[in-house]
Amino acid sequence: MNFNHNAIKRFGRSYKWDAMLEAFPETEAMDIMPFTVAEMEWQTDPIITHTLQTYLAEDILGYTKASKTYTKAVCQWMHNHYHLDIHCDDIITTPGVITAIKMALEVMTTEGDGVILLTPVYHSFFKMLEAVHRVPATSDLINQNGIYSIDFEDLEAKFKDPANTVMIMCHPHNPIGRVWTRDELERIHALSLQYNVPVISDEIHADLTLSGHQHVSYGTLDPQAIICTSVSKTFNLAGLKISNIIIKDERLRHQFVNHGERYGTLGANALAIQAAEVAYRKGQPWLDQALQEIEANAAIVTERFAATDIIVSPLEATYLIWMDFREVIKKDPALLQRLESEAYFFASDGEAFGANGAGFLRMNLAGPQRYIVEACDRVLEIVNKL
């Protein structure tokens, strides 16, 4: 498959393309693309689209549930990739990971409880906690020249505080692109046990772990944890709204399911189930090629900005690269705004990921290579003049 075609302009049917157009109407006529929302600008694996076309031609779009063949495909994927052995009954299908985490919080905690987060972190976590009236208990990651680590002394203080009743872990971590090591995960698990604070592990980016790194599913260490997975990032199927939530604890799983049935937040649509199953069974070659493209694009960004004061964090997983513009902003406080209005460079504002993300940008690398190159060159044209 050709991953380097021209960008498909998705005005009128894409959040990030429409946001770019609304802010700068002239972009409709330009050959550029936005680098904000975490979805790919590559076409879906033809194996998946062909499966959906066949289904539409031969089947019925009726009420559908995940079949045994579907859950077996999920189990096999988790075993083959992460040595995480689960039963079909451990899997609960929901329309999305954020929906599932909201449900879990409403089952496991009460309003006003603190929820531990390692920041900067996925911005939707903050919106989600506000929606369910829980309080972020943030533990800032240590940043040493773009390389991030966990402040375990501060994290233990958060676990020890009785106001905090659960931790949401982003693993691999968005936006910094870290893959937490087994040692780090074991230390988190030890704190979880010591202070009786359960962990919800969002592993939606696990399949996007890059070469030289290994994703250790938190579920292999802690059978009491909730593990959130999905094909949405892996195979660019976010619009189909499907995720697989793994809950081995039978009592907690029943509570989760009962809560979901109350509000109709379980299950997925017919096309989503078909797409996800074929992705798990036949999508690995496409994914392998996508990972190669992501690594190549990350290398381009790192190389292009190496001679500047922009610090690019090493990318271990995801297709989201984290860049520190704070030194450059000292020369021009309006730089980030200029990058949009003059360079037409649209990345995600780091401050949305927590207060310690101010002065950073998160760039989505999952797109045709030439757009990455051209965007970097437009940024450099402004930065090099400072």
Side-chain angles (χ1 to χ4, degrees):
M1 177 176 168
N2 180 16
F3 278 73
N4 286 301
H5 53 73
N6 289 334
I8 299 170
K9 296 187 177 183
R10 296 185 290 128
F11 298 118
R13 59 188 188 278
S14 163
Y15 175 86
K16 67 181 178 184
W17 283 83
D18 288 348
M20 178 178 73
L21 180 63
E22 182 177 351
F24 298 94
E26 65 271 27
T27 57
E28 185 171 14
M30 300 174 68
D31 187 21
I32 60 174
M33 62 181 233
F35 304 99
T36 50
V37 177
E39 62 186 9
M40 299 175 176
E41 293 303 323
W42 294 312
Q43 288 182 300
T44 305
D45 184 349
I47 290 176
I48 297 174
T49 54
H50 176 73
T51 297
L52 295 181
Q53 289 162 356
T54 302
Y55 186 87
L56 287 169
E58 299 177 354
D59 219 309
I60 295 172
L61 295 174
Y63 293 114
T64 310
K65 70 172 187 176
S67 66
K68 286 295 183 182
T69 62
Y70 172 78
T71 53
K72 285 180 180 177
V74 178
C75 290
Q76 187 172 8
W77 182 274
M78 300 306 293
H79 171 78
N80 292 344
H81 287 74
Y82 311 114
H83 307 292
L84 178 60
D85 291 320
I86 56 177
H87 299 292
C88 291
D89 292 343
D90 297 336
I91 301 168
I92 303 156
T93 305
T94 74
V97 165
I98 290 297
T99 299
I101 296 178
K102 283 181 182 178
M103 291 163 57
L105 290 174
E106 290 177 338
V107 168
M108 301 167 68
T109 68
T110 59
E111 289 193 9
D113 281 4
V115 177
I116 301 169
L117 302 173
L118 297 173
T119 50
V121 74
Y122 180 39
H123 50 73
S124 288
F125 285 174
F126 296 107
K127 298 175 185 177
M128 172 187 65
L129 294 181
E130 183 179 3
V132 297
H133 308 292
R134 271 63 172 177
V135 180
T138 59
S139 179
D140 287 351
L141 295 166
I142 299 169
N143 178 7
Q144 295 180 304
N145 200 36
I147 298 174
Y148 283 83
S149 60
I150 298 171
D151 184 343
F152 276 101
E153 183 177 348
D154 181 71
L155 182 60
E156 181 168 7
K158 298 300 188 298
F159 269 96
K160 190 174 182 179
D161 186 342
N164 303 327
T165 57
V166 71
M167 177 184 184
I168 300 175
M169 181 168 60
C170 197
H171 172 48
H173 196 90
N174 171 15
I176 65 169
R178 269 295 316 275
V179 177
W180 302 124
T181 64
R182 179 176 291 276
D183 177 66
E184 289 168 320
L185 297 175
E186 288 176 345
R187 293 180 71 177
I188 290 171
H189 184 214
L191 292 173
S192 173
L193 290 175
Q194 181 178 354
Y195 296 105
N196 194 30
V197 175
V199 173
I200 301 170
S201 185
D202 176 1
E203 303 189 9
I204 196 170
H205 291 281
D207 300 328
L208 297 166
T209 299
L210 304 181
S211 60
H213 303 279
Q214 181 181 8
H215 174 82
V216 177
S217 175
Y218 187 73
T220 61
L221 304 177
D222 184 359
Q224 304 303 311
I226 294 178
I227 309 301
C228 302
T229 69
S230 177
V231 291
S232 60
K233 305 300 181 188
T234 310
F235 294 101
N236 203 30
L237 299 174
L240 288 180
K241 302 288 186 182
I242 186 170
S243 64
N244 299 301
I245 311 305
I246 300 166
I247 307 179
K248 288 188 174 184
D249 184 281
E250 187 175 359
R251 180 174 173 272
L252 178 57
R253 186 169 66 248
H254 285 320
Q255 290 177 324
F256 183 93
V257 170
N258 289 340
H259 186 68
E261 288 176 342
R262 181 188 304 176
Y263 296 106
T265 48
L266 299 176
N269 68 69
L271 294 181
I273 292 169
Q274 293 296 315
E277 181 173 348
V278 74
Y280 280 132
R281 293 192 182 281
K282 300 181 179 180
Q284 189 66 55
W286 183 93
L287 175 59
D288 290 342
Q289 191 175 351
L291 289 170
Q292 291 176 11
E293 295 295 327
I294 292 166
E295 290 189 354
N297 287 348
I300 289 169
V301 173
T302 302
E303 186 274 329
R304 282 291 199 279
F305 293 151
T308 73
D309 288 329
I310 301 167
I311 299 174
V312 180
S313 289
L315 189 65
E316 299 176 356
T318 83
Y319 47 72
L320 307 165
I321 200 162
W322 187 240
M323 301 177 291
D324 183 352
F325 281 79
R326 289 177 297 176
E327 282 299 314
V328 191
I329 289 172
K330 290 178 182 178
K331 303 173 186 176
D332 181 2
L335 175 67
L336 298 188
Q337 291 75 28
R338 289 183 61 203
L339 292 181
E340 287 193 351
S341 62
E342 298 178 30
Y344 295 104
F345 179 69
F346 303 98
S348 297
D349 188 340
E351 195 164 7
F353 302 90
N356 57 342
F360 292 74
L361 290 177
R362 188 195 75 175
M363 180 183 183
N364 182 340
L365 300 174
Q369 191 172 110
R370 75 174 178 87
Y371 294 93
I372 307 293
V373 173
E374 291 168 4
C376 289
D377 289 346
R378 295 197 304 272
V379 170
L380 287 171
E381 188 174 353
I382 291 178
V383 170
N384 288 338
K385 290 179 181 177
L386 296 179

